[in-house]
Amino acid sequence: MAAGNVNPFNVSDSEEEAEQRQDGADTERSPSDEAQGHSLGPFSPPAYSDPAALLSSNRTSPSVDGIPASAAAVSGIGAETRVSLDAIAAQLLRDQYILTALELHTELLEAGRELPRLRDYFSNPGNFERQSGTPPACKEQGVGPGGPLTAQVQDVKRRKKDAHLRDRAGSISTLDSLDFARYSDDGNRESDERVAVLEFELRKAKETIQALRANLTQAAECEIASQERKNYKSSPETQEPIRPLEKRALNFLVNEYLLKNEYKLTSITFSDENDDQDFELWDDVGLNIPKPPDLLQLYRNCGNSQPLHRDNVDVAVSVDPSDLPGDYFTQEPVQQTDVIQQQQQQEVVQELEYQISLLNSEKQSLAEQIKKLQSDIQALQRNVSSEPTAGVKSTPSKENPKCDKPPLDNGQYLDIRGVTETDSSSDTTKTSTSTTIATDCTENSTTATQPHSKLKANGQQSKSSVQFDQPNRKLSPAFHQALLSFCRMSADSRLGSEVSRIADSEQSVMLMLGRCLPHIVPNVLLAKREELIPLILCTACLHPEPKERDQLLHILFNLIKRPDDEQRQMILTGCVAFAQHVGPTRVEAELLPQCWEQINHKYPERRLLVAEACGALAPYLPKEIRSSLVLSMLQQMLADDKADMVREAVVKSLGVIMGYIDDPDKYSQGFELMLLSLGDPSERVVSATHQVFIPAFAAWCTELGNLQSQLIPSLLTRIEKLLKQGEYGLDEHKLHMYLSALQSLIPSLFAVLLQNAPFTSRVKLQGDVPPIEVTRFPRPASPLQDVATIVGSREQLAVLLHLYDHQLQHEGTTGWDSLLWVVNQFLPQIIDIVGRINVTSSTCVHEFSRFFWRLCRTFGKIFTNTKVKPQFQEILRLSEENVDATAGNGILTKATVPIYATGVLTCYNQEEDRKLLVGFLEDVMTTLSLSHAPLDSLKASFVELGANPAYHELLLTVLWYGVVHTSALVRCTAARMFERVLRGMSEALIDKRVAPALITLCSGPEFSVRISTIPAFGTIMETVTQKELLERVKMQLASFLEDPQYQDQHSLHMEIIKTFGRVGPNAEPRFRDEFVLPHLHKLALCNNQQTVESKRIDIATQLFEAYSALSCCFISEELMVNHFLPGLRCLRTDMEQLSPEHEVILSSMIKECEIKVENKAIGEAQGSISIAASLVGEDAKTKFLSKMGQLTTSGAMLANVFQRKK
């Protein structure tokens, strides 16, 4: 008995029981008690103790010595026998009379006679957790541990409140004064937490109930009065207004209809307009509302709805036990409840047995039908084998009236299972039967309207002509079936069902593939999944179900986790083939949603697939979708995507879109997309913009007529605005962006000139037209920038070029509006912009030079000589009479000179072109030198031309003209220009041409010319490795420093120190150690004796710059002590008097150098010590490795090596 109780207390620890046990132990353990006690169970109370009586017992507190009536009822002992309270409590707990035990515990607490057994029981929360094994009867009546705890808690709270109002002695321990913490353990804290969680859930449930009640109240308030409803019913022309509940239900059904029929975009819009409703969950419509059929079923059944009979059932909901009558629990005793349950179970068993018998009889009848049908099939096969096939098809279709409209999946499979599955379910049997009937119907039906009718007919003929040899045996069919059952064929699983039937038509193959592919794909290796693309695409293309097609396309786009370039190409090829087959409507409805779903995928390869797919599918989309939805998708990806390769693909797809767009209103959006792409930080994206997007956008602008009127003027306006804003600092990045866009538009602009020329009407493809020279046009960045591609063909371009040159040379430009716009508007504006850029910015000069070079090469030599060069020459005005005029020389100091020299005069490399370039540079050098103007424009020209080795000879020719010029100013300019062209020049050319020219300049009488050669000599020391040449340069520099005639040449010393500081770190170490550092020391020492303060500060400043640059070089200790440090100390002496701020820096430099010298000395002293230490370390290492080599594979022995010896 104890094993079945929840809390069996067999030993009492109260002193009262110990005293009473000595007096009446025999009475307590009477035989009647034993018998009754054995009949008690934890879930079945005894007959004499009614649970209802326990629940409705008198709750008034008895006297101190009195015993509760309920306890007396449980014990069953007469008044003459005295039973201990602990025994009563133990019996109540054993019989699960928890409420009665709680009554007893409360009354004893109020009387000051606490029982430890009850105290321990009620202080343990584990005793009140719900038990999974409590029978329903106990749960309903509330006598088990899972009973109405709420009522118990309320009762305890009520008694605690009453106890507070009573006067009692302070020494009496009550329920309020108990310290439950000393009886609890760690488990009690967990129970407290669970109680808190349950209280929170109860509070949330109450809030939910209140909200539901509010909804019901609101719905009730919204109902129309009954009189108004009668009015609506009596007058059919007036319709009752829709109620909120009806509106939510109809919204749900409409959204469901839209999703089922592939109106996804409409469904999204509809959901956004009803954002207060959750269309994923029907329960959001209302409380306890059954879901009606879908709209299609409602429409079909709107005229034939029959009233359904409904049974009425009375149900009591949320009834509190305290509200029930007192005899409620006594109406159905436990025994009566058990009998009723047993009767109900017997009735259910009988009903199930009856259904089993019906199914068995149905199974037998179906088996008989199968046998009959099989015999009919065999008879038909015999007839077919003996008669022509047409005889079979002549069977009238009236025999099978159900064959008029067969289901989609019937009649299209050959069932190879036959009748071997005698034990299969009735569904399988029905399928076999319907398959046989439908097969006959398919044979008798007309298939002329199907796209593959011939193939189906052939398949049916071959199917009907299959014959098998029948054995000459007399075995029963049942024996045959039992015999074949040992062949271990199984069609119970999904795969077995698919294997057991063979498709006999294209549509059935599509259905089979649609079912099988979702199961095949996950089990294929990732590296080989592209092999499934043809299957997936064909199935998605031909499958009749939209839902299955959507699933297959979803599989296609998610086929490979991170598809590589080849795999993406395969998927895109398949998407294009799909689009070509199904048309624009299905591409929009089925493919575009897949792209939209992947637009924010976490893997860049998947987003790259989406970007590429938008461009590949552009030709097959409706034009409205192409210029709205797809364009917006790509614009969003270009602005938001972080992967360079994705944005690159987006730009290329945008270029494709620009090739198919035909909405003029989208021009401004295209222009903004072009600027956004050009401003991308990735070079890959910018390159794709020039190669694909700009040519496609220019072609569209050409069709719109906006290329010369809007696109190019907009870019020129932005460049001018940029120059106005950049007076204090030009944004060279934006200038490069706009100018590169103009450069990419040059081929399209030239194509517009050719296509709008006066001679277009005379264009005829003739065989005698000379072919185009290979070097006629600059190399295009992409095929889209090739003029031949823009015009149509290379032959067409050859004819147009021939007529173009003839028109320019002989007939003029009258009536040629597109060319006149270039000559009269475009060229003057761009030349004016050139004159306003900073000539010292090598980047800007190079960009504009490349622009004019491509412009002149594209438009041709005749156009350059007759239209471009005259405009530059008119501005530059290099005539003799304007040499001294400041107005005429101002333009020579601007960027117009280097851009004209390097961008226009270098386009063509014939002899007359080279002579023109040489003459222009000589004139500029002479003019600037004689007018004492800045040489920045000439320097920029030499730097830009010197970057190309092909112009080195030409530049040396120009400089030799300056070397032998009669004016010393021109010779000084030539000497300084040598420094600009030496970098990148071959040593042979320097040895043969440059060095002799510099020696010639040094031999002249002017000191200014000699001083001007010093930077060039320094550059030779920096760039040349030939020893003989270096010695010659070294001797010339030594003569400048040691010759007495140069001792007072302050400017010479300044130039030498400046050159040493520039070339010293990059020059040959021997030249630096033996020549530069000693002479700097001498110059610093001489500067200490300089009496002119201005000269002294100039030399000191240049020495400071030189020493700062040389301090980063490796200097030996000897040079550091003998020359570098003494020179710094001399320089510090000058700076102490002239520039204290420089003196602080020099002091720190001297201190660092001294520390380096000291560290080197200490390091050498420690060298011998480190060698000895390394020898000792090697010996220790050898001993350690030998010790490790003696070890075996035991890990314990390896650990013992590192233990300290005891």
Side-chain angles (χ1 to χ4, degrees):
M1 178 183 70
N5 294 333
V6 176
N7 198 358
F9 294 94
N10 296 326
V11 181
S12 174
D13 55 353
S14 66
E15 297 177 358
E16 182 179 359
E17 183 185 5
E19 294 174 357
Q20 293 177 357
R21 188 175 293 172
Q22 296 175 1
D23 299 332
D26 296 334
T27 306
E28 183 178 353
R29 305 287 295 178
S30 60
S32 61
D33 247 352
E34 290 287 339
Q36 294 170 358
H38 283 294
S39 65
L40 299 177
F43 306 118
S44 301
Y48 55 77
S49 58
D50 193 357
L54 290 174
L55 291 174
S56 60
S57 61
N58 186 12
R59 296 175 183 261
T60 58
S61 300
S63 61
V64 175
D65 297 329
I67 300 174
S70 60
V74 173
S75 63
I77 302 175
E80 68 277 0
T81 303
R82 186 176 180 84
V83 182
S84 66
L85 293 175
D86 189 76
I88 296 172
Q91 186 65 29
L92 289 174
L93 294 176
R94 275 194 294 268
D95 295 340
Q96 297 295 311
Y97 297 137
I98 306 299
L99 196 59
T100 306
L102 183 62
E103 287 277 356
L104 177 60
H105 177 55
T106 306
E107 292 171 351
L108 290 178
L109 283 176
E110 293 172 350
R113 301 176 60 190
E114 179 186 12
L115 284 179
R117 185 187 301 275
L118 294 177
R119 178 197 66 202
D120 295 340
Y121 183 83
F122 287 108
S123 64
N124 186 5
N127 294 328
F128 301 100
E129 295 181 355
R130 288 189 176 272
Q131 303 293 329
S132 60
T134 306
C138 298
K139 290 184 180 180
E140 293 174 0
Q141 297 180 10
V143 297
L149 294 179
T150 305
Q152 298 177 11
V153 174
Q154 291 177 353
D155 187 70
V156 172
K157 289 182 178 179
R158 177 176 56 80
R159 292 191 175 276
K160 287 170 66 177
K161 186 174 181 181
D162 295 340
H164 274 296
L165 302 176
R166 292 195 185 97
D167 295 331
R168 56 184 182 270
S171 62
I172 299 176
S173 177
T174 63
L175 190 61
D176 291 325
S177 61
L178 285 176
D179 184 13
F180 288 102
R182 58 196 178 98
Y183 302 112
S184 64
D185 52 5
D186 293 340
N188 294 341
R189 287 196 298 270
E190 298 177 359
S191 62
D192 293 341
E193 294 175 358
R194 181 171 181 179
V195 169
V197 172
L198 292 175
E199 289 177 353
F200 172 75
E201 293 177 351
L202 178 62
R203 185 167 66 253
K204 296 296 290 185
K206 288 181 178 179
E207 292 175 0
T208 305
I209 292 172
Q210 291 295 334
L212 292 173
R213 288 176 177 172
N215 291 340
L216 291 175
T217 304
Q218 183 179 3
E221 290 175 356
C222 294
E223 292 182 354
I224 305 174
S226 59
Q227 184 63 33
E228 296 179 355
R229 293 181 181 176
K230 292 179 181 179
N231 296 336
Y232 286 124
K233 293 178 181 179
S234 61
S235 57
E237 64 275 1
T238 60
Q239 186 179 3
E240 179 181 354
I242 189 170
R243 285 175 283 181
L245 183 63
E246 296 173 343
K247 181 179 179 181
R248 295 173 69 86
L250 288 175
N251 287 346
F252 187 90
L253 294 177
V254 169
N255 185 71
E256 184 182 40
Y257 168 78
L258 293 175
L259 289 177
K260 284 183 177 180
N261 292 274
E262 300 299 325
Y263 298 109
K264 295 185 179 180
L265 298 178
T266 308
S267 172
I268 293 173
T269 307
F270 187 74
S271 302
D272 293 339
E273 293 175 348
N274 298 275
D275 54 354
D276 58 340
Q277 185 172 351
D278 183 10
F279 289 103
E280 300 292 335
L281 188 63
W282 167 258
D283 294 338
D284 183 68
V285 173
L287 184 66
N288 294 333
I289 299 174
K291 182 180 177 182
D294 56 11
L295 286 181
L296 181 61
Q297 292 298 115
L298 290 175
Y299 172 75
R300 290 175 176 173
N301 301 331
C302 61
N304 348 329
S305 59
Q306 298 294 335
L308 301 177
H309 175 69
R310 300 178 182 273
D311 296 333
N312 296 327
V313 180
D314 295 331
V315 179
V317 182
S318 186
V319 180
D320 195 28
S322 60
D323 298 338
L324 298 175
D327 58 346
Y328 178 79
F329 289 101
T330 62
Q331 293 175 4
E332 294 183 2
V334 179
Q335 295 82 359
Q336 185 177 358
T337 303
D338 295 339
V339 172
I340 292 174
Q341 290 180 352
Q342 291 178 0
Q343 293 177 356
Q344 293 177 351
Q345 292 176 356
Q346 291 176 357
E347 292 177 357
V348 171
V349 170
Q350 293 176 359
E351 180 67 22
L352 292 176
E353 291 177 350
Y354 176 70
Q355 292 180 2
I356 291 173
S357 62
L358 289 179
L359 292 175
N360 287 331
S361 60
E362 184 181 1
K363 177 181 176 182
Q364 293 176 359
S365 63
L366 290 174
E368 294 175 358
Q369 292 179 10
I370 291 172
K371 295 177 181 177
K372 181 179 179 182
L373 290 171
Q374 286 178 347
S375 61
D376 294 342
I377 290 173
Q378 293 176 359
L380 288 172
Q381 288 177 350
R382 296 191 195 96
N383 295 333
V384 168
S385 61
S386 59
E387 298 177 3
T389 307
V392 180
K393 293 186 178 180
S394 62
T395 304
S397 60
K398 295 181 180 179
E399 297 178 2
N400 294 328
K402 295 181 181 179
C403 297
D404 296 337
K405 294 183 179 180
L408 185 63
D409 203 10
N410 287 346
Q412 299 177 359
Y413 292 94
L414 296 176
D415 199 334
I416 66 172
R417 289 173 292 183
V419 292
T420 59
E421 302 174 8
T422 57
D423 298 333
S424 60
S425 62
S426 60
D427 294 339
T428 307
T429 309
K430 292 177 182 179
T431 303
S432 303
T433 307
S434 61
T435 302
T436 307
I437 298 173
T439 304
D440 297 337
C441 299
T442 306
E443 293 174 355
N444 299 332
S445 62
T446 303
T447 60
T449 59
Q450 299 297 328
H452 306 288
S453 58
K454 295 182 179 180
L455 185 59
K456 289 185 178 180
N458 295 335
Q460 290 168 0
Q461 291 176 5
S462 61
K463 178 186 69 174
S464 61
S465 62
V466 175
Q467 297 294 327
F468 300 98
D469 293 336
Q470 299 296 329
N472 189 13
R473 301 291 298 275
K474 296 181 180 181
L475 298 177
S476 65
F479 187 84
H480 268 296
Q481 294 173 9
L483 185 63
L484 292 175
S485 65
F486 288 95
C487 295
R488 300 183 63 83
M489 292 186 297
S490 174
D492 297 335
S493 62
R494 177 196 62 81
L495 184 60
S497 176
E498 295 291 348
V499 172
S500 62
R501 47 184 183 169
I502 298 176
D504 65 342
S505 67
E506 292 84 349
Q507 191 174 21
S508 58
V509 172
M510 291 302 107
L511 294 173
M512 181 270 293
L513 288 174
R515 291 190 303 268
C516 295
L517 278 175
H519 302 279
I520 295 173
V521 170
N523 299 306
V524 179
L525 292 175
L526 288 175
K528 295 297 182 182
R529 284 192 179 176
E530 63 267 19
E531 301 291 340
L532 294 172
I533 294 176
L535 279 178
I536 296 174
L537 282 168
C538 290
T539 309
C541 186
L542 301 175
H543 203 284
E545 294 294 333
K547 187 175 181 181
E548 294 295 330
R549 296 199 301 266
D550 184 73
Q551 181 184 5
L552 289 168
L553 291 175
H554 181 75
I555 291 174
L556 175 66
F557 275 83
N558 295 272
L559 186 64
I560 303 168
K561 188 176 182 180
R562 307 182 76 162
D564 56 23
D565 186 59
E566 185 177 354
Q567 291 167 339
R568 288 195 308 273
Q569 289 181 9
M570 290 300 103
I571 295 175
L572 290 177
T573 304
C575 290
V576 170
F578 179 87
Q580 291 173 343
H581 190 275
V582 302
T585 304
R586 279 184 60 183
V587 174
E588 175 190 356
E590 298 177 10
L591 273 182
L592 273 189
Q594 301 297 333
C595 296
W596 185 264
E597 289 177 3
Q598 308 255 343
I599 194 173
N600 292 317
H601 201 277
K602 64 177 181 178
Y603 292 130
E605 291 84 358
R606 301 281 278 276
R607 303 196 302 273
L608 180 59
L609 177 63
V610 172
E612 294 173 341
C614 290
L617 296 175
Y620 312 102
L621 288 169
K623 61 180 181 179
E624 298 84 3
I625 296 298
R626 187 190 300 141
S627 59
S628 58
L629 178 62
V630 179
L631 192 63
S632 301
M633 288 171 57
L634 292 173
Q635 185 174 9
Q636 177 184 344
M637 295 182 71
L638 179 63
D640 298 341
D641 206 291
K642 297 180 180 180
D644 295 349
M645 59 180 181
V646 176
R647 297 199 305 276
E648 179 187 8
V650 167
V651 169
K652 293 180 179 178
S653 295
L654 282 172
V656 177
I657 294 292
M658 290 300 153
Y660 286 89
I661 200 169
D662 55 1
D663 185 3
D665 297 334
K666 297 295 181 181
Y667 166 78
S668 58
Q669 186 177 359
F671 184 76
E672 295 299 327
L673 286 171
M674 182 186 73
L675 296 181
L676 182 63
S677 305
L678 288 171
D680 195 275
S682 173
E683 190 64 30
R684 297 175 57 179
V685 179
V686 176
S687 177
T689 305
H690 289 293
Q691 293 175 4
V692 183
F693 183 83
I694 291 181
F697 186 59
W700 183 39
C701 292
T702 301
E703 296 179 14
L704 296 176
N706 295 341
L707 183 65
Q708 294 177 319
S709 61
Q710 292 189 27
L711 181 56
I712 295 179
S714 299
L715 292 173
L716 291 175
T717 303
R718 290 175 181 269
I719 292 176
E720 291 180 340
K721 185 178 179 181
L722 198 64
L723 292 174
K724 290 179 181 179
Q725 296 174 352
E727 294 179 358
Y728 302 100
L730 181 64
D731 190 348
E732 294 185 357
H733 174 70
K734 284 190 175 180
L735 180 63
H736 166 71
M737 184 176 76
Y738 298 143
L739 197 58
S740 63
L742 279 176
Q743 186 172 326
S744 297
L745 290 173
I746 290 175
S748 301
L749 181 61
F750 184 65
V752 170
L753 263 66
L754 294 179
Q755 293 168 351
N756 296 328
F759 52 78
T760 51
S761 59
R762 306 195 305 267
V763 173
K764 292 182 180 179
L765 293 179
Q766 300 173 356
D768 55 351
V769 177
I772 304 174
E773 297 179 3
V774 178
T775 59
R776 169 62 179 82
F777 292 100
R779 185 187 301 272
S782 73
L784 296 178
Q785 290 191 8
D786 190 353
V787 182
T789 304
I790 300 174
V791 170
S793 66
R794 199 160 184 85
E795 294 77 11
Q796 180 83 6
L797 179 60
V799 176
L800 290 173
L801 284 178
H802 178 71
L803 296 174
Y804 167 78
D805 292 338
H806 184 271
Q807 181 82 19
L808 285 178
Q809 195 168 7
H810 299 96
E811 300 182 12
T813 59
T814 305
W816 199 346
D817 295 336
S818 55
L819 182 67
L820 291 175
W821 178 86
V822 174
V823 175
N824 298 329
Q825 297 185 34
F826 178 66
L827 278 177
Q829 189 174 2
I830 196 72
I831 292 174
D832 180 66
I833 291 174
V834 164
R836 286 186 281 166
I837 66 172
N838 187 6
V839 68
T840 59
S841 174
S842 59
T843 304
C844 295
V845 171
H846 178 74
E847 292 293 335
F848 275 97
S849 174
R850 293 300 90 193
F851 171 78
F852 273 99
W853 187 86
R854 293 187 70 89
L855 178 71
C856 295
R857 287 301 299 267
T858 303
F859 280 74
K861 187 173 184 179
I862 298 175
F863 181 87
T864 304
N865 293 333
T866 59
K867 307 298 180 185
V868 179
K869 289 181 181 179
Q871 295 197 29
F872 273 100
Q873 292 170 358
E874 177 65 24
I875 293 174
L876 293 174
R877 289 181 301 210
L878 294 173
S879 57
E880 290 286 339
E881 58 270 12
N882 292 328
V883 171
D884 297 328
T886 57
N889 297 331
I891 193 66
L892 296 181
T893 61
K894 296 182 179 179
T896 311
V897 170
I899 291 172
Y900 174 60
T902 61
V904 179
L905 297 180
T906 60
C907 289
Y908 300 96
N909 202 21
Q910 296 179 0
E911 187 63 29
E912 60 270 16
D913 302 313
R914 296 176 69 88
K915 288 181 179 180
L916 184 61
L917 177 59
V918 169
F920 174 74
L921 292 176
E922 290 175 353
D923 293 342
V924 170
M925 182 171 61
T926 304
T927 305
L928 292 178
S929 302
L930 297 178
S931 60
H932 299 277
L935 302 177
D936 293 333
S937 59
L938 189 62
K939 291 178 181 178
S941 302
F942 274 81
V943 169
E944 186 70 22
L945 291 172
N948 188 353
Y951 293 102
H952 286 172
E953 287 279 359
L954 184 145
L955 292 176
L956 290 178
T957 302
V958 176
L959 291 177
W960 184 253
Y961 167 80
V963 169
V964 298
H965 200 276
T966 57
S967 172
L969 296 174
V970 178
R971 294 201 300 272
C972 286
T973 302
R976 294 194 177 276
M977 290 302 110
F978 273 109
E979 178 190 357
R980 305 293 173 177
V981 299
L982 283 173
R983 300 184 185 276
M985 189 175 289
S986 64
E987 293 189 6
L989 204 58
I990 294 175
D991 188 24
K992 293 179 181 179
R993 301 284 301 273
V994 177
L998 292 176
I999 299 296
T1000 302
L1001 291 172
C1002 291
S1003 62
E1006 295 88 357
F1007 280 102
S1008 60
V1009 178
R1010 299 178 186 180
I1011 294 172
S1012 300
T1013 61
I1014 293 176
F1017 282 122
T1019 304
I1020 293 176
M1021 297 297 298
E1022 186 181 8
T1023 57
V1024 174
T1025 59
Q1026 188 177 348
K1027 292 184 178 181
E1028 295 179 359
L1029 182 57
L1030 289 176
E1031 287 296 330
R1032 291 163 58 189
V1033 173
K1034 184 177 177 182
M1035 290 175 58
Q1036 185 63 46
L1037 291 176
S1039 67
F1040 288 147
L1041 291 170
E1042 298 172 0
D1043 195 336
Q1045 62 177 334
Y1046 300 115
Q1047 289 182 359
D1048 296 332
Q1049 293 296 325
H1050 175 72
S1051 58
L1052 183 140
H1053 294 160
M1054 287 278 294
E1055 194 67 45
I1056 285 181
I1057 297 172
K1058 183 178 179 181
T1059 302
F1060 282 173
R1062 177 173 59 86
V1063 305
N1066 301 321
E1068 188 183 9
R1070 182 183 174 187
F1071 172 73
R1072 181 176 62 242
D1073 296 342
E1074 297 179 0
F1075 189 81
V1076 175
L1077 290 177
H1079 282 91
L1080 284 178
H1081 181 201
K1082 291 180 182 180
L1083 290 171
L1085 189 61
C1086 294
N1087 197 47
N1088 290 147
Q1089 283 81 33
Q1090 180 62 253
T1091 57
V1092 182
E1093 186 174 347
S1094 60
K1095 294 182 178 180
R1096 186 179 181 186
I1097 188 63
D1098 291 342
I1099 295 294
T1101 304
Q1102 290 298 331
L1103 285 172
F1104 178 80
E1105 297 294 336
Y1107 274 111
S1108 299
L1110 292 170
S1111 63
C1112 301
C1113 303
F1114 173 76
I1115 302 173
S1116 64
E1117 181 183 359
E1118 181 182 357
L1119 286 173
M1120 184 74 72
V1121 174
N1122 295 334
H1123 295 291
F1124 196 79
L1125 275 175
L1128 285 177
R1129 294 189 182 104
C1130 294
L1131 182 58
R1132 183 174 63 177
T1133 303
D1134 293 334
M1135 290 300 182
E1136 286 177 355
Q1137 303 174 8
L1138 303 174
S1139 180
E1141 62 272 11
H1142 289 83
E1143 188 270 335
V1144 177
I1145 301 174
L1146 285 171
S1147 298
S1148 63
M1149 291 174 61
I1150 292 171
K1151 188 176 181 180
E1152 290 179 3
C1153 293
E1154 291 174 347
I1155 292 174
K1156 288 181 181 179
V1157 173
E1158 293 177 359
N1159 290 339
K1160 287 181 181 179
I1162 295 174
E1164 291 178 358
Q1166 292 179 348
S1168 58
I1169 300 176
S1170 62
I1171 293 174
S1174 64
L1175 293 176
V1176 175
E1178 287 294 330
D1179 185 49
K1181 179 181 178 182
T1182 304
K1183 290 182 178 180
F1184 176 76
L1185 292 177
S1186 63
K1187 182 73 174 177
M1188 294 289 291
Q1190 296 173 3
L1191 295 176
T1192 61
T1193 57
S1194 173
M1197 296 182 64
L1198 181 62
N1200 294 333
V1201 176
F1202 302 98
Q1203 290 182 355
R1204 181 181 299 176
K1205 293 184 179 180
K1206 297 181 180 179

